[in-house]
Amino acid sequence: MAARRYGMKSRSGRLRPDRTPRRPDGRSHPCQISMEVPMPDFTAHRHPVLAVRCPDCGRAPGVWCRRPSGHMANDFHMSRKVEADHAFIDQHGPDASVERDGEGWIIDPRGRVGIRPQPEQLALF
């Protein structure tokens, strides 16, 4: 018998569903697997940008960026900062902000809306 990726075929070539291997969750086809990516936690790390994986150096969430030489970078890659901004806005909205709170970070859903100039305040005449 030749083993197939998603089932077993008998000598006659028919798929035998009773011998189909199952995953621990009971699903048998890869399209049924949930590819859900967990939402990043921007308050769990030393810096909120560390909540996302770096697209440049491939460092995992929570791990500081590395230079091509292997040394630790002084700052995050720009693409990681942009990725963190996009993920934060998708998760919390465009008005939210991350603010330092002693040793950690807190998310303010209203952000700095109260201190932003309103359109009527910008009119000069």
Side-chain angles (χ1 to χ4, degrees), residues 1-39:
M1 250 186 297
R4 306 263 310 166
R5 185 171 180 185
Y6 301 113
M8 302 286 288
K9 280 204 171 186
S10 66
R11 290 184 187 187
S12 65
R14 289 190 205 156
L15 188 64
R16 297 190 312 183
D18 60 319
R19 304 285 301 266
T20 303
R22 297 269 179 196
R23 293 186 173 88
D25 58 5
R27 295 179 278 191
S28 62
H29 195 274
C31 293
Q32 296 173 340
I33 295 174
S34 172
M35 299 304 285
E36 244 178 68
V37 177
M39 297 299 276

Side-chain angles (χ1 to χ4, degrees), residues 25-81:
D25 58 5
R27 295 179 278 191
S28 62
H29 195 274
C31 293
Q32 296 173 340
I33 295 174
S34 172
M35 299 304 285
E36 244 178 68
V37 177
M39 297 299 276
D41 183 4
F42 291 93
T43 61
H45 305 288
R46 292 177 294 170
H47 194 282
V49 175
L50 288 171
V52 297
R53 177 177 294 277
C54 182
D56 284 347
C57 62
R59 292 305 212 191
V63 181
W64 204 272
C65 290
R66 294 278 177 174
R67 298 182 61 178
S69 64
H71 295 91
M72 196 162 111
N74 290 336
D75 197 10
F76 302 107
H77 290 109
M78 183 56 72
S79 60
R80 189 177 200 175
K81 292 177 186 180

Side-chain angles (χ1 to χ4, degrees), residues 58-121:
R59 292 305 212 191
V63 181
W64 204 272
C65 290
R66 294 278 177 174
R67 298 182 61 178
S69 64
H71 295 91
M72 196 162 111
N74 290 336
D75 197 10
F76 302 107
H77 290 109
M78 183 56 72
S79 60
R80 189 177 200 175
K81 292 177 186 180
V82 170
E83 185 70 26
D85 284 343
H86 288 297
F88 184 81
I89 290 170
D90 289 347
Q91 188 175 354
H92 298 286
D95 291 334
S97 67
V98 179
E99 299 170 7
R100 192 81 167 145
D101 179 36
E103 293 294 316
W105 299 91
I106 58 169
I107 296 173
D108 183 5
R110 283 187 32 118
R112 300 178 177 255
V113 174
I115 65 170
R116 290 184 192 150
Q118 300 303 316
E120 59 273 3
Q121 294 173 339

